[in-house]
């Protein structure tokens, strides 16, 4: 391991077949850190222990100007954004979008570096992909490739209200990662920043801080996509220098609707879900990767006490920032 990072073990009650143990990784080398002015110095990030073998490889990952990166905290509309961006960048090629999995068209950089049951080195595999590449990552800014900030490819960042993330991420941890601990353990882990890829709020704040100084970064919210998808499509088209007619954008919006995405095997991740559930001890149980896709679902699944706790946590985390989560 290079001196770029320091590593600390984490005692956790959140271990599961998908990730048995965790570490905290802290970036020490600030020479290529885009927030090196001290406004938001790097903080330790919770990742599966397996990631220790890949941290420097990801940091040194070669980036190309024609790359497209989709970066999110988990369960923030990642797949939705991948499909939207891929189609806009590929002249609305619906035939390929319906027949080739989104995971093939927009690859998950670090999945093989975090999932204990996946033996493939996906970082090396992604490096060797045919260009131009679409790449997805859940890594926070300090763990991402340093060349993102010198080569400056297009980056689309999407965030979502943590109260809805809590519900979606809980189901993901249980069914995809095989977590069999209590709901309370997981939910408390979120407000204590002990869950994989935490700290969650900082994840968004780091990219929010770049919005005015990094024109290669487009900052979106899940809620704005739900509220005004056509408006977001126009923003994304402008970001990519693409021009489509109103009819084309209406057709794209229909393709990207929750019902259509859920019915589309290439975006509902059916094969991935089946494989992950089999690998992590949930084979035979029912789970769909795209569950509800609504704003405010936390009110149906979280207690008023926990929502109040999460509200207090968010108020503390956002103190001093002009960023506010959409509702």
């Amino acid at each position: 391991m290079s001196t770029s990072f320091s590593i600390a073990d984490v005692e956790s009650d959140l271990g599961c077949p998908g990730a048995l143990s965790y570490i905290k990784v802290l970036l020490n080398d600030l020479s290529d850190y885009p927030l090196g002015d001290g406004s938001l110095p790097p903080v330790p990030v919770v990742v599966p222990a397996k990631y220790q073998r890949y941290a420097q490889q990801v940091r040194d990952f070669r980036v190309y100007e024609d790359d497209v990166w989709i970066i999110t905290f988990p369960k923030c509309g990642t797949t939705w954004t991948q499909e939207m961006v891929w189609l806009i960048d590929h002249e609305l090629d619906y035939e390929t979008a319906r027949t080739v999995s989104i995971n093939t068209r927009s690859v998950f950089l670090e999945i093989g570096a975090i999932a204990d049951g996946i033996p493939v080195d996906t970082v090396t595999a992604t490096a060797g992909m045919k260009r131009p590449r679409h790449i997805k990552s859940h890594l926070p800014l300090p763990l991402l490739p340093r060349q993102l900030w010198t080569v400056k490819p297009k980056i689309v960042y999407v965030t979502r209200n943590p109260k809805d993330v809590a519900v979606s991420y809980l189901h993901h941890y249980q069914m995809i990662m095989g977590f069999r601990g209590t709901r309370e353990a997981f939910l408390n882990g979120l407000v204590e920043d002990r869950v994989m890829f935490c700290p969650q709020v900082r994840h968004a704040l780091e990219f929010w801080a770049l919005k005015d100084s990094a024109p290669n970064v487009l900052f979106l919210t899940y809620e704005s996509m739900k509220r005004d998808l056509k408006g977001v499509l126009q923003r994304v088209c402008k970001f990519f220098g693409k021009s489509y007619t109103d009819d084309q954008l209406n057709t794209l919006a229909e393709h990207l609707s929750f019902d259509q995405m859920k019915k589309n095997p290439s975006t509902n991740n059916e094969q991935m879900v089946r494989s992950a559930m089999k690998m992590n001890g949930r084979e035979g149980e029912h789970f769909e990767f795209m569950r509800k896709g609504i704003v405010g679902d936390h009110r149906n699944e979280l207690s008023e006490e926990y929502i109040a706790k999460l509200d207090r946590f968010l108020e503390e985390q956002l103190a001093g920032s002009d960023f506010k989560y959409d509702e």
Side-chain angles (χ1 to χ4, degrees):
M1 171 67 66
S2 162
T3 55
S4 291
F5 299 99
S6 57
I7 307 292
D9 291 331
V10 172
E11 291 187 17
S12 178
D13 54 355
L14 299 175
C16 53
L20 296 173
S21 58
Y22 297 88
I23 56 174
K24 282 188 175 181
V25 181
L26 175 63
L27 176 67
N28 294 324
D29 177 9
L30 304 186
S31 59
D32 295 297
Y33 185 59
L35 300 175
D37 60 359
S39 57
L40 283 174
V43 295
V45 178
V46 176
V47 286
K50 182 180 181 182
Y51 189 75
Q52 180 170 351
R53 307 201 303 266
Y54 294 88
Q56 193 62 47
Q57 184 182 348
V58 171
R59 187 75 177 147
D60 295 337
F61 186 87
R62 184 170 182 180
V63 173
Y64 296 99
E65 190 175 359
D66 57 1
D67 283 345
V68 174
W69 289 69
I70 309 296
I71 301 172
T72 73
F73 190 80
K75 315 314 295 181
C76 288
T78 319
T79 304
W80 194 15
T81 307
Q82 287 174 274
E83 183 76 348
M84 171 180 67
V85 168
W86 190 90
L87 280 163
I88 286 173
D89 194 39
H90 287 82
E91 313 305 325
L92 307 181
D93 181 1
Y94 293 110
E95 181 177 357
T96 301
R98 292 188 179 101
T99 56
V100 178
S101 168
I102 187 62
N103 297 316
T104 299
R105 293 181 279 121
S106 185
V107 297
F108 190 176
L109 174 70
E110 70 269 12
I111 183 63
I114 61 172
D116 283 335
I118 295 180
V120 179
D121 177 356
T122 55
V123 180
T124 297
T126 302
M129 282 178 59
K130 181 181 177 181
R131 296 167 54 195
R133 308 175 301 188
H134 276 230
I135 301 171
K136 151 192 165 180
S137 179
H138 292 314
L139 293 170
L141 193 150
L143 302 192
L144 286 165
R146 60 165 59 89
Q147 287 190 0
L148 284 176
W149 318 114
T150 54
V151 178
K152 300 182 179 179
K154 285 190 164 28
I155 299 170
V156 179
Y157 184 85
V158 187
T159 193
R160 184 184 188 185
N161 193 297
K163 288 179 279 192
D164 282 341
V165 170
V167 172
S168 187
Y169 207 6
L170 169 63
H171 288 287
H172 181 93
Y173 244 69
Q174 290 173 326
M175 304 307 294
I176 299 298
M177 297 181 64
F179 177 65
R180 294 185 181 272
T182 65
R183 285 171 56 94
E184 292 72 20
F186 179 83
L187 294 173
N188 287 334
L190 277 178
V191 294
E192 294 164 3
D193 276 332
R194 295 188 295 106
V195 177
M196 183 167 62
F197 297 117
C198 280
Q200 180 181 0
V201 176
R202 185 59 174 268
H203 202 294
L205 289 181
E206 288 164 347
F207 276 88
W208 180 253
L210 292 174
K211 70 183 188 306
D212 297 325
S213 61
N216 62 309
V217 176
L218 179 64
F219 191 101
L220 302 175
T221 71
Y222 180 92
E223 291 78 14
S224 67
M225 292 169 67
K226 293 295 293 186
R227 184 171 58 246
D228 181 19
L229 181 56
K230 184 83 172 288
V232 171
L233 293 179
Q234 291 168 337
R235 286 184 63 197
V236 176
C237 286
K238 182 178 180 181
F239 183 65
F240 281 92
K242 301 288 185 177
S243 179
Y244 297 113
T245 67
D246 277 348
D247 285 346
Q248 287 176 311
L249 292 181
N250 288 335
T251 300
L252 177 57
E254 173 61 22
H255 176 87
L256 293 170
S257 70
F258 183 80
D259 288 344
Q260 292 300 317
M261 291 276 288
K262 189 167 184 174
K263 287 191 291 188
N264 183 353
S266 75
T267 53
N268 199 22
N269 285 321
E270 293 178 1
Q271 184 57 50
M272 182 277 288
V273 168
R274 286 195 296 270
S275 297
M277 290 177 69
K278 181 177 181 179
M279 183 168 55
N280 295 325
R282 293 287 190 178
E283 187 175 17
E285 299 183 52
H286 178 72
F287 178 74
E288 291 183 287
F289 187 80
M290 303 188 73
R291 294 186 320 108
K292 295 182 180 179
I294 61 176
V295 173
D297 190 42
H298 65 273
R299 300 184 187 94
N300 301 318
E301 296 208 31
L302 301 179
S303 68
E304 290 185 8
E305 179 183 10
Y306 182 76
I307 293 173
K309 179 188 291 189
L310 192 45
D311 281 336
R312 290 191 298 272
F313 169 75
L314 295 178
E315 184 177 2
E316 294 169 0
Q317 293 286 304
L318 294 172
S321 171
D322 62 348
F323 174 71
K324 301 297 179 186
Y325 285 103
D326 277 355
E327 295 284 349

